[in-house]
Amino acid sequence: MTALGSQMEELLASWDDATAPIDARVREDPLMIASASEIVASSRVKRLAGPSTVLCRPWEHADFLSRVSSFSIASWFAKPDVISAFECARHGWRNSGPDQLHCNCCKQFLCFKIDDKLSEAGALKVAKKFAEQLVAGHTQLCPWQGNPSPEAFTTLPIATKRQVYEGFMDRLEELVARMREDDEFHDQIRAIKVVDAVLATILNEAGGTEDSAASLDTATFALKLSVRIPQLKDTPISSEALVSAAFLIVCGWQFDEKDVEMLWCGSCNRRWQPFSVKASKENDEKEIEPPAKRLKTDTARAVDLLSQHRHFCPWVAGRKSTGVDDYGEIDPKLWEFVKLPGWKQYAQCMSFLGNPEDRAIVAVASSDCQETRVCNPVVALESIRAVLDL
């Protein structure tokens, strides 16, 4: 009877709390209607919330990226698109081992191992069966069942070439302003050397040609960039730093807020360090090789800005979703553009550097252009009055 009585008291207390007037509840817990900044600053709320890996927050992009980062080629290799890392992460699953998924909410495990002897069609058929388990594999009371994260988390925003160009210039101006204020940051970006193959690929795409002889060179590219940035008229920066900053943006990288020496991708949550000079200085005393020679070798190390992304990242993999087919039917040329990998979208938008007045989304044939008609405003007003019987 004592246990039953205590259970009844707890139940009644919960009922009273749920049905109590809002004023009384606010007096007991002022954070109920507090601002977001006050809630974040409260250690009490942080303790109640617990670790984000346990909560089901499909709308939280940071949680989605955390789940994505648990997947790797070593443990989730060559999976069809229907059970890709993005699809699994959207439905609340983490990669806990080779071919294995785990839900931190309902504690369920799934094993998606596909026999290597199956044909491509057979593997896809098995993968579709596995895809059904991304929803059904959760327990009935698990909040992830039928409640996935938005598909938009797995793709880049739909934007025209002009919008991509404007976003590129905004980010480049931010980096330029930061380099003008911080000489060390300027030297870090200047020290980045992109491998020649990636350099040529991006410049060819920016020039709209596959002929390396007819493509842009870095000097011309730097000149076009500097003309478009007003801040450089007062305090110019080195062309090497300007080009390196542009390539970082084109390839989808931004600097980590917690560590300025780390680059971060907001789509695949990949973090890596392109700078090796600092590490070399720390290891100078342990190396037999002279410090000057060691520093020169590390500084000249070239990096591949594209291969550092995870293989399923939209910056290198492109858009495979069919979620915007209706939009593509309305404007097929725009749809062809947004299906490109992110780096190609940004490289192609460099065409506006040479002709900033051009407003076209993509190249339009002359036969598609319509003749502009000059309309007399007086005649137009009379037409409107006639329609409205005025």
mmCIF file of all heavy atoms in Angstrom, residues 60-107:
data_model
loop_
_atom_site.group_PDB
_atom_site.id
_atom_site.type_symbol
_atom_site.label_atom_id
_atom_site.label_comp_id
_atom_site.label_asym_id
_atom_site.label_seq_id
_atom_site.Cartn_x
_atom_site.Cartn_y
_atom_site.Cartn_z
ATOM 1 N N GLU A 60 17.667 19.690 -35.412
ATOM 2 C CA GLU A 60 18.945 20.257 -34.982
ATOM 3 C C GLU A 60 20.053 19.836 -35.946
ATOM 4 O O GLU A 60 20.434 18.663 -36.005
ATOM 5 C CB GLU A 60 19.270 19.791 -33.565
ATOM 6 C CG GLU A 60 20.496 20.450 -32.962
ATOM 7 C CD GLU A 60 20.324 21.944 -32.781
ATOM 8 O OE1 GLU A 60 19.244 22.383 -32.339
ATOM 9 O OE2 GLU A 60 21.286 22.669 -33.110
ATOM 10 N N HIS A 61 20.568 20.791 -36.706
ATOM 11 C CA HIS A 61 21.579 20.480 -37.716
ATOM 12 C C HIS A 61 22.886 20.011 -37.088
ATOM 13 O O HIS A 61 23.575 19.141 -37.635
ATOM 14 C CB HIS A 61 21.825 21.711 -38.591
ATOM 15 C CG HIS A 61 22.676 21.438 -39.788
ATOM 16 N ND1 HIS A 61 23.853 22.101 -40.050
ATOM 17 C CD2 HIS A 61 22.530 20.539 -40.796
ATOM 18 C CE1 HIS A 61 24.394 21.638 -41.157
ATOM 19 N NE2 HIS A 61 23.614 20.695 -41.640
ATOM 20 N N ALA A 62 23.245 20.570 -35.941
ATOM 21 C CA ALA A 62 24.485 20.158 -35.274
ATOM 22 C C ALA A 62 24.421 18.691 -34.858
ATOM 23 O O ALA A 62 25.414 17.960 -34.976
ATOM 24 C CB ALA A 62 24.751 21.047 -34.060
ATOM 25 N N ASP A 63 23.270 18.247 -34.372
ATOM 26 C CA ASP A 63 23.113 16.835 -34.016
ATOM 27 C C ASP A 63 23.223 15.948 -35.255
ATOM 28 O O ASP A 63 23.812 14.859 -35.208
ATOM 29 C CB ASP A 63 21.760 16.607 -33.337
ATOM 30 C CG ASP A 63 21.696 17.241 -31.955
ATOM 31 O OD1 ASP A 63 22.718 17.809 -31.519
ATOM 32 O OD2 ASP A 63 20.631 17.174 -31.323
ATOM 33 N N PHE A 64 22.642 16.403 -36.349
ATOM 34 C CA PHE A 64 22.726 15.641 -37.598
ATOM 35 C C PHE A 64 24.181 15.486 -38.038
ATOM 36 O O PHE A 64 24.618 14.389 -38.412
ATOM 37 C CB PHE A 64 21.905 16.343 -38.680
ATOM 38 C CG PHE A 64 22.098 15.783 -40.056
ATOM 39 C CD1 PHE A 64 21.485 14.603 -40.436
ATOM 40 C CD2 PHE A 64 22.903 16.441 -40.978
ATOM 41 C CE1 PHE A 64 21.666 14.078 -41.709
ATOM 42 C CE2 PHE A 64 23.087 15.928 -42.249
ATOM 43 C CZ PHE A 64 22.467 14.744 -42.614
ATOM 44 N N LEU A 65 24.949 16.567 -37.977
ATOM 45 C CA LEU A 65 26.359 16.492 -38.361
ATOM 46 C C LEU A 65 27.143 15.583 -37.426
ATOM 47 O O LEU A 65 28.081 14.901 -37.851
ATOM 48 C CB LEU A 65 26.971 17.892 -38.366
ATOM 49 C CG LEU A 65 26.496 18.843 -39.466
ATOM 50 C CD1 LEU A 65 27.182 20.195 -39.325
ATOM 51 C CD2 LEU A 65 26.758 18.262 -40.840
ATOM 52 N N SER A 66 26.760 15.565 -36.160
ATOM 53 C CA SER A 66 27.429 14.675 -35.217
ATOM 54 C C SER A 66 27.209 13.213 -35.592
ATOM 55 O O SER A 66 28.130 12.394 -35.515
ATOM 56 C CB SER A 66 26.917 14.943 -33.799
ATOM 57 O OG SER A 66 27.483 14.043 -32.876
ATOM 58 N N ARG A 67 25.995 12.889 -36.014
ATOM 59 C CA ARG A 67 25.723 11.513 -36.448
ATOM 60 C C ARG A 67 26.461 11.198 -37.747
ATOM 61 O O ARG A 67 26.982 10.092 -37.926
ATOM 62 C CB ARG A 67 24.209 11.303 -36.630
ATOM 63 C CG ARG A 67 23.417 11.409 -35.347
ATOM 64 C CD ARG A 67 21.976 10.954 -35.536
ATOM 65 N NE ARG A 67 21.236 11.793 -36.479
ATOM 66 C CZ ARG A 67 20.597 12.897 -36.165
ATOM 67 N NH1 ARG A 67 20.633 13.350 -34.912
ATOM 68 N NH2 ARG A 67 19.937 13.589 -37.078
ATOM 69 N N VAL A 68 26.513 12.159 -38.651
ATOM 70 C CA VAL A 68 27.207 11.952 -39.924
ATOM 71 C C VAL A 68 28.686 11.662 -39.699
ATOM 72 O O VAL A 68 29.279 10.799 -40.361
ATOM 73 C CB VAL A 68 27.026 13.188 -40.832
ATOM 74 C CG1 VAL A 68 27.972 13.128 -42.025
ATOM 75 C CG2 VAL A 68 25.589 13.274 -41.322
ATOM 76 N N SER A 69 29.287 12.369 -38.758
ATOM 77 C CA SER A 69 30.727 12.206 -38.526
ATOM 78 C C SER A 69 31.084 10.835 -37.965
ATOM 79 O O SER A 69 32.261 10.467 -37.949
ATOM 80 C CB SER A 69 31.224 13.295 -37.572
ATOM 81 O OG SER A 69 30.587 13.191 -36.312
ATOM 82 N N SER A 70 30.089 10.067 -37.504
ATOM 83 C CA SER A 70 30.381 8.726 -36.987
ATOM 84 C C SER A 70 30.620 7.723 -38.113
ATOM 85 O O SER A 70 31.140 6.630 -37.872
ATOM 86 C CB SER A 70 29.224 8.240 -36.101
ATOM 87 O OG SER A 70 28.042 8.046 -36.859
ATOM 88 N N PHE A 71 30.258 8.076 -39.351
ATOM 89 C CA PHE A 71 30.437 7.175 -40.486
ATOM 90 C C PHE A 71 31.809 7.390 -41.120
ATOM 91 O O PHE A 71 32.300 8.517 -41.198
ATOM 92 C CB PHE A 71 29.347 7.421 -41.540
ATOM 93 C CG PHE A 71 27.968 6.993 -41.111
ATOM 94 C CD1 PHE A 71 27.198 7.816 -40.311
ATOM 95 C CD2 PHE A 71 27.450 5.778 -41.505
ATOM 96 C CE1 PHE A 71 25.931 7.441 -39.909
ATOM 97 C CE2 PHE A 71 26.178 5.387 -41.113
ATOM 98 C CZ PHE A 71 25.421 6.221 -40.307
ATOM 99 N N SER A 72 32.397 6.308 -41.565
ATOM 100 C CA SER A 72 33.691 6.377 -42.242
ATOM 101 C C SER A 72 33.738 5.306 -43.325
ATOM 102 O O SER A 72 32.925 4.370 -43.341
ATOM 103 C CB SER A 72 34.840 6.172 -41.249
ATOM 104 O OG SER A 72 34.809 4.860 -40.713
ATOM 105 N N ILE A 73 34.684 5.451 -44.230
ATOM 106 C CA ILE A 73 34.826 4.472 -45.310
ATOM 107 C C ILE A 73 35.180 3.098 -44.753
ATOM 108 O O ILE A 73 34.755 2.065 -45.277
ATOM 109 C CB ILE A 73 35.899 4.943 -46.305
ATOM 110 C CG1 ILE A 73 35.449 6.240 -46.982
ATOM 111 C CG2 ILE A 73 36.186 3.880 -47.351
ATOM 112 C CD1 ILE A 73 36.443 6.790 -47.976
ATOM 113 N N ALA A 74 35.937 3.072 -43.669
ATOM 114 C CA ALA A 74 36.366 1.792 -43.104
ATOM 115 C C ALA A 74 35.202 0.976 -42.561
ATOM 116 O O ALA A 74 35.231 -0.260 -42.600
ATOM 117 C CB ALA A 74 37.391 2.038 -42.001
ATOM 118 N N SER A 75 34.162 1.640 -42.057
ATOM 119 C CA SER A 75 33.064 0.906 -41.426
ATOM 120 C C SER A 75 31.743 0.996 -42.188
ATOM 121 O O SER A 75 30.790 0.296 -41.846
ATOM 122 C CB SER A 75 32.849 1.423 -39.995
ATOM 123 O OG SER A 75 32.599 2.817 -40.000
ATOM 124 N N TRP A 76 31.677 1.849 -43.212
ATOM 125 C CA TRP A 76 30.432 1.975 -43.986
ATOM 126 C C TRP A 76 30.824 2.226 -45.437
ATOM 127 O O TRP A 76 30.740 3.330 -45.947
ATOM 128 C CB TRP A 76 29.581 3.120 -43.437
ATOM 129 C CG TRP A 76 28.131 3.039 -43.819
ATOM 130 C CD1 TRP A 76 27.477 3.767 -44.765
ATOM 131 C CD2 TRP A 76 27.152 2.175 -43.253
ATOM 132 N NE1 TRP A 76 26.160 3.407 -44.834
ATOM 133 C CE2 TRP A 76 25.926 2.426 -43.907
ATOM 134 C CE3 TRP A 76 27.190 1.193 -42.258
ATOM 135 C CZ2 TRP A 76 24.752 1.747 -43.595
ATOM 136 C CZ3 TRP A 76 26.028 0.520 -41.944
ATOM 137 C CH2 TRP A 76 24.830 0.794 -42.606
ATOM 138 N N PHE A 77 31.227 1.153 -46.105
ATOM 139 C CA PHE A 77 31.859 1.271 -47.417
ATOM 140 C C PHE A 77 30.920 0.837 -48.532
ATOM 141 O O PHE A 77 30.242 -0.194 -48.431
ATOM 142 C CB PHE A 77 33.139 0.423 -47.463
ATOM 143 C CG PHE A 77 33.845 0.464 -48.786
ATOM 144 C CD1 PHE A 77 34.503 1.605 -49.200
ATOM 145 C CD2 PHE A 77 33.831 -0.640 -49.627
ATOM 146 C CE1 PHE A 77 35.154 1.654 -50.421
ATOM 147 C CE2 PHE A 77 34.478 -0.606 -50.849
ATOM 148 C CZ PHE A 77 35.140 0.544 -51.252
ATOM 149 N N ALA A 78 30.892 1.648 -49.610
ATOM 150 C CA ALA A 78 30.202 1.303 -50.860
ATOM 151 C C ALA A 78 28.745 0.920 -50.643
ATOM 152 O O ALA A 78 28.246 -0.038 -51.233
ATOM 153 C CB ALA A 78 30.947 0.174 -51.574
ATOM 154 N N LYS A 79 28.061 1.674 -49.814
ATOM 155 C CA LYS A 79 26.636 1.427 -49.597
ATOM 156 C C LYS A 79 25.814 2.184 -50.640
ATOM 157 O O LYS A 79 26.144 3.316 -50.998
ATOM 158 C CB LYS A 79 26.229 1.874 -48.192
ATOM 159 C CG LYS A 79 26.865 1.055 -47.066
ATOM 160 C CD LYS A 79 26.369 -0.376 -47.072
ATOM 161 C CE LYS A 79 26.806 -1.143 -45.840
ATOM 162 N NZ LYS A 79 28.253 -1.427 -45.827
ATOM 163 N N PRO A 80 24.728 1.574 -51.152
ATOM 164 C CA PRO A 80 23.855 2.283 -52.100
ATOM 165 C C PRO A 80 23.256 3.542 -51.477
ATOM 166 O O PRO A 80 23.235 3.711 -50.254
ATOM 167 C CB PRO A 80 22.767 1.243 -52.418
ATOM 168 C CG PRO A 80 23.412 -0.078 -52.137
ATOM 169 C CD PRO A 80 24.335 0.168 -50.982
ATOM 170 N N ASP A 81 22.753 4.417 -52.337
ATOM 171 C CA ASP A 81 22.265 5.716 -51.875
ATOM 172 C C ASP A 81 21.110 5.597 -50.887
ATOM 173 O O ASP A 81 20.952 6.451 -50.008
ATOM 174 C CB ASP A 81 21.818 6.562 -53.073
ATOM 175 C CG ASP A 81 22.989 6.945 -53.963
ATOM 176 O OD1 ASP A 81 24.130 6.919 -53.468
ATOM 177 O OD2 ASP A 81 22.763 7.264 -55.148
ATOM 178 N N VAL A 82 20.293 4.554 -51.017
ATOM 179 C CA VAL A 82 19.121 4.436 -50.138
ATOM 180 C C VAL A 82 19.516 4.167 -48.690
ATOM 181 O O VAL A 82 18.715 4.397 -47.773
ATOM 182 C CB VAL A 82 18.171 3.326 -50.646
ATOM 183 C CG1 VAL A 82 17.520 3.737 -51.952
ATOM 184 C CG2 VAL A 82 18.908 2.001 -50.792
ATOM 185 N N ILE A 83 20.725 3.675 -48.470
ATOM 186 C CA ILE A 83 21.213 3.480 -47.096
ATOM 187 C C ILE A 83 22.557 4.193 -46.927
ATOM 188 O O ILE A 83 23.449 3.708 -46.236
ATOM 189 C CB ILE A 83 21.344 1.979 -46.738
ATOM 190 C CG1 ILE A 83 22.219 1.248 -47.763
ATOM 191 C CG2 ILE A 83 19.987 1.332 -46.613
ATOM 192 C CD1 ILE A 83 22.539 -0.189 -47.360
ATOM 193 N N SER A 84 22.691 5.330 -47.566
ATOM 194 C CA SER A 84 23.920 6.111 -47.446
ATOM 195 C C SER A 84 24.055 6.653 -46.028
ATOM 196 O O SER A 84 23.125 6.596 -45.218
ATOM 197 C CB SER A 84 23.906 7.269 -48.445
ATOM 198 O OG SER A 84 22.875 8.184 -48.131
ATOM 199 N N ALA A 85 25.207 7.196 -45.743
ATOM 200 C CA ALA A 85 25.445 7.757 -44.410
ATOM 201 C C ALA A 85 24.460 8.875 -44.107
ATOM 202 O O ALA A 85 23.973 9.007 -42.976
ATOM 203 C CB ALA A 85 26.882 8.267 -44.319
ATOM 204 N N PHE A 86 24.149 9.689 -45.103
ATOM 205 C CA PHE A 86 23.193 10.774 -44.901
ATOM 206 C C PHE A 86 21.804 10.238 -44.550
ATOM 207 O O PHE A 86 21.134 10.751 -43.654
ATOM 208 C CB PHE A 86 23.104 11.639 -46.162
ATOM 209 C CG PHE A 86 24.163 12.705 -46.228
ATOM 210 C CD1 PHE A 86 24.539 13.249 -47.442
ATOM 211 C CD2 PHE A 86 24.783 13.176 -45.083
ATOM 212 C CE1 PHE A 86 25.507 14.234 -47.511
ATOM 213 C CE2 PHE A 86 25.754 14.155 -45.135
ATOM 214 C CZ PHE A 86 26.116 14.688 -46.360
ATOM 215 N N GLU A 87 21.353 9.210 -45.277
ATOM 216 C CA GLU A 87 20.018 8.666 -45.024
ATOM 217 C C GLU A 87 19.943 8.030 -43.636
ATOM 218 O O GLU A 87 18.947 8.180 -42.926
ATOM 219 C CB GLU A 87 19.657 7.639 -46.100
ATOM 220 C CG GLU A 87 19.294 8.252 -47.437
ATOM 221 C CD GLU A 87 18.123 9.208 -47.317
ATOM 222 O OE1 GLU A 87 17.091 8.822 -46.734
ATOM 223 O OE2 GLU A 87 18.247 10.349 -47.791
ATOM 224 N N CYS A 88 20.983 7.319 -43.259
ATOM 225 C CA CYS A 88 20.995 6.708 -41.926
ATOM 226 C C CYS A 88 20.993 7.780 -40.840
ATOM 227 O O CYS A 88 20.263 7.676 -39.845
ATOM 228 C CB CYS A 88 22.212 5.806 -41.779
ATOM 229 S SG CYS A 88 22.235 4.382 -42.898
ATOM 230 N N ALA A 89 21.807 8.814 -41.017
ATOM 231 C CA ALA A 89 21.876 9.884 -40.021
ATOM 232 C C ALA A 89 20.566 10.653 -39.944
ATOM 233 O O ALA A 89 20.170 11.107 -38.867
ATOM 234 C CB ALA A 89 23.024 10.831 -40.355
ATOM 235 N N ARG A 90 19.879 10.809 -41.066
ATOM 236 C CA ARG A 90 18.588 11.502 -41.062
ATOM 237 C C ARG A 90 17.575 10.788 -40.171
ATOM 238 O O ARG A 90 16.731 11.431 -39.542
ATOM 239 C CB ARG A 90 18.010 11.593 -42.479
ATOM 240 C CG ARG A 90 18.616 12.662 -43.362
ATOM 241 C CD ARG A 90 17.873 12.721 -44.682
ATOM 242 N NE ARG A 90 16.465 13.031 -44.464
ATOM 243 C CZ ARG A 90 15.455 12.361 -45.006
ATOM 244 N NH1 ARG A 90 15.689 11.315 -45.783
ATOM 245 N NH2 ARG A 90 14.208 12.724 -44.768
ATOM 246 N N HIS A 91 17.652 9.473 -40.111
ATOM 247 C CA HIS A 91 16.691 8.685 -39.333
ATOM 248 C C HIS A 91 17.201 8.371 -37.930
ATOM 249 O O HIS A 91 16.664 7.481 -37.259
ATOM 250 C CB HIS A 91 16.354 7.392 -40.071
ATOM 251 C CG HIS A 91 15.527 7.608 -41.307
ATOM 252 N ND1 HIS A 91 16.082 7.954 -42.518
ATOM 253 C CD2 HIS A 91 14.186 7.552 -41.515
ATOM 254 C CE1 HIS A 91 15.122 8.084 -43.419
ATOM 255 N NE2 HIS A 91 13.970 7.849 -42.843
ATOM 256 N N GLY A 92 18.230 9.081 -37.485
ATOM 257 C CA GLY A 92 18.663 8.967 -36.098
ATOM 258 C C GLY A 92 19.691 7.900 -35.814
ATOM 259 O O GLY A 92 19.974 7.625 -34.642
ATOM 260 N N TRP A 93 20.291 7.299 -36.844
ATOM 261 C CA TRP A 93 21.231 6.206 -36.632
ATOM 262 C C TRP A 93 22.672 6.705 -36.662
ATOM 263 O O TRP A 93 23.012 7.623 -37.402
ATOM 264 C CB TRP A 93 21.055 5.128 -37.699
ATOM 265 C CG TRP A 93 19.710 4.475 -37.682
ATOM 266 C CD1 TRP A 93 18.659 4.764 -38.498
ATOM 267 C CD2 TRP A 93 19.264 3.443 -36.798
ATOM 268 N NE1 TRP A 93 17.582 3.973 -38.183
ATOM 269 C CE2 TRP A 93 17.923 3.148 -37.140
ATOM 270 C CE3 TRP A 93 19.860 2.738 -35.751
ATOM 271 C CZ2 TRP A 93 17.177 2.185 -36.477
ATOM 272 C CZ3 TRP A 93 19.115 1.776 -35.096
ATOM 273 C CH2 TRP A 93 17.795 1.498 -35.453
ATOM 274 N N ARG A 94 23.502 6.054 -35.863
ATOM 275 C CA ARG A 94 24.943 6.291 -35.850
ATOM 276 C C ARG A 94 25.665 5.024 -36.286
ATOM 277 O O ARG A 94 25.170 3.918 -36.078
ATOM 278 C CB ARG A 94 25.427 6.690 -34.450
ATOM 279 C CG ARG A 94 24.987 8.075 -34.021
ATOM 280 C CD ARG A 94 25.419 8.364 -32.591
ATOM 281 N NE ARG A 94 25.176 9.753 -32.250
ATOM 282 C CZ ARG A 94 26.039 10.736 -32.429
ATOM 283 N NH1 ARG A 94 27.243 10.458 -32.921
ATOM 284 N NH2 ARG A 94 25.749 11.972 -32.110
ATOM 285 N N ASN A 95 26.836 5.197 -36.854
ATOM 286 C CA ASN A 95 27.655 4.065 -37.259
ATOM 287 C C ASN A 95 28.505 3.634 -36.062
ATOM 288 O O ASN A 95 29.416 4.346 -35.647
ATOM 289 C CB ASN A 95 28.531 4.464 -38.439
ATOM 290 C CG ASN A 95 29.343 3.316 -39.000
ATOM 291 O OD1 ASN A 95 30.406 3.510 -39.550
ATOM 292 N ND2 ASN A 95 28.852 2.096 -38.863
ATOM 293 N N SER A 96 28.199 2.463 -35.515
ATOM 294 C CA SER A 96 28.872 1.996 -34.301
ATOM 295 C C SER A 96 29.922 0.929 -34.573
ATOM 296 O O SER A 96 30.639 0.522 -33.664
ATOM 297 C CB SER A 96 27.843 1.443 -33.309
ATOM 298 O OG SER A 96 27.093 0.395 -33.900
ATOM 299 N N GLY A 97 30.008 0.445 -35.815
ATOM 300 C CA GLY A 97 30.968 -0.589 -36.160
ATOM 301 C C GLY A 97 30.840 -0.941 -37.627
ATOM 302 O O GLY A 97 30.008 -0.373 -38.344
ATOM 303 N N PRO A 98 31.648 -1.863 -38.124
ATOM 304 C CA PRO A 98 31.555 -2.252 -39.529
ATOM 305 C C PRO A 98 30.155 -2.747 -39.889
ATOM 306 O O PRO A 98 29.657 -3.717 -39.301
ATOM 307 C CB PRO A 98 32.596 -3.372 -39.650
ATOM 308 C CG PRO A 98 33.561 -3.115 -38.547
ATOM 309 C CD PRO A 98 32.753 -2.551 -37.427
ATOM 310 N N ASP A 99 29.506 -2.048 -40.823
ATOM 311 C CA ASP A 99 28.163 -2.403 -41.314
ATOM 312 C C ASP A 99 27.123 -2.403 -40.199
ATOM 313 O O ASP A 99 26.096 -3.081 -40.307
ATOM 314 C CB ASP A 99 28.178 -3.783 -41.995
ATOM 315 C CG ASP A 99 29.176 -3.852 -43.132
ATOM 316 O OD1 ASP A 99 29.244 -2.887 -43.913
ATOM 317 O OD2 ASP A 99 29.899 -4.865 -43.230
ATOM 318 N N GLN A 100 27.353 -1.648 -39.145
ATOM 319 C CA GLN A 100 26.455 -1.678 -37.992
ATOM 320 C C GLN A 100 25.966 -0.278 -37.646
ATOM 321 O O GLN A 100 26.721 0.693 -37.694
ATOM 322 C CB GLN A 100 27.170 -2.291 -36.786
ATOM 323 C CG GLN A 100 26.244 -2.641 -35.626
ATOM 324 C CD GLN A 100 26.985 -3.344 -34.509
ATOM 325 O OE1 GLN A 100 27.796 -2.743 -33.821
ATOM 326 N NE2 GLN A 100 26.721 -4.633 -34.334
ATOM 327 N N LEU A 101 24.672 -0.193 -37.292
ATOM 328 C CA LEU A 101 24.050 1.064 -36.889
ATOM 329 C C LEU A 101 23.516 0.937 -35.472
ATOM 330 O O LEU A 101 23.161 -0.158 -35.022
ATOM 331 C CB LEU A 101 22.899 1.430 -37.841
ATOM 332 C CG LEU A 101 23.236 1.608 -39.319
ATOM 333 C CD1 LEU A 101 21.978 1.896 -40.120
ATOM 334 C CD2 LEU A 101 24.250 2.731 -39.510
ATOM 335 N N HIS A 102 23.438 2.080 -34.793
ATOM 336 C CA HIS A 102 22.957 2.098 -33.415
ATOM 337 C C HIS A 102 22.158 3.367 -33.180
ATOM 338 O O HIS A 102 22.529 4.449 -33.648
ATOM 339 C CB HIS A 102 24.135 2.041 -32.439
ATOM 340 C CG HIS A 102 23.738 2.207 -31.001
ATOM 341 N ND1 HIS A 102 22.902 1.326 -30.351
ATOM 342 C CD2 HIS A 102 24.056 3.167 -30.088
ATOM 343 C CE1 HIS A 102 22.730 1.724 -29.102
ATOM 344 N NE2 HIS A 102 23.415 2.841 -28.919
ATOM 345 N N CYS A 103 21.030 3.236 -32.480
ATOM 346 C CA CYS A 103 20.216 4.384 -32.097
ATOM 347 C C CYS A 103 20.435 4.655 -30.616
ATOM 348 O O CYS A 103 20.213 3.773 -29.777
ATOM 349 C CB CYS A 103 18.735 4.124 -32.372
ATOM 350 S SG CYS A 103 17.640 5.439 -31.762
ATOM 351 N N ASN A 104 20.845 5.861 -30.290
ATOM 352 C CA ASN A 104 21.111 6.207 -28.899
ATOM 353 C C ASN A 104 19.844 6.416 -28.089
ATOM 354 O O ASN A 104 19.899 6.467 -26.861
ATOM 355 C CB ASN A 104 21.964 7.478 -28.826
ATOM 356 C CG ASN A 104 23.413 7.216 -29.177
ATOM 357 O OD1 ASN A 104 23.827 6.063 -29.291
ATOM 358 N ND2 ASN A 104 24.183 8.268 -29.369
ATOM 359 N N CYS A 105 18.704 6.557 -28.768
ATOM 360 C CA CYS A 105 17.446 6.769 -28.045
ATOM 361 C C CYS A 105 16.814 5.447 -27.615
ATOM 362 O O CYS A 105 16.500 5.252 -26.442
ATOM 363 C CB CYS A 105 16.474 7.567 -28.911
ATOM 364 S SG CYS A 105 16.877 9.318 -29.037
ATOM 365 N N CYS A 106 16.603 4.545 -28.573
ATOM 366 C CA CYS A 106 15.937 3.279 -28.247
ATOM 367 C C CYS A 106 16.919 2.123 -28.077
ATOM 368 O O CYS A 106 16.509 0.989 -27.821
ATOM 369 C CB CYS A 106 14.898 2.931 -29.310
ATOM 370 S SG CYS A 106 15.567 2.674 -30.976
ATOM 371 N N LYS A 107 18.226 2.403 -28.256
ATOM 372 C CA LYS A 107 19.294 1.419 -28.024
ATOM 373 C C LYS A 107 19.228 0.223 -28.977
ATOM 374 O O LYS A 107 19.780 -0.835 -28.675
ATOM 375 C CB LYS A 107 19.269 0.904 -26.573
ATOM 376 C CG LYS A 107 19.221 2.000 -25.523
ATOM 377 C CD LYS A 107 20.367 2.977 -25.656
ATOM 378 C CE LYS A 107 20.298 4.064 -24.592
ATOM 379 N NZ LYS A 107 21.369 5.079 -24.764
#
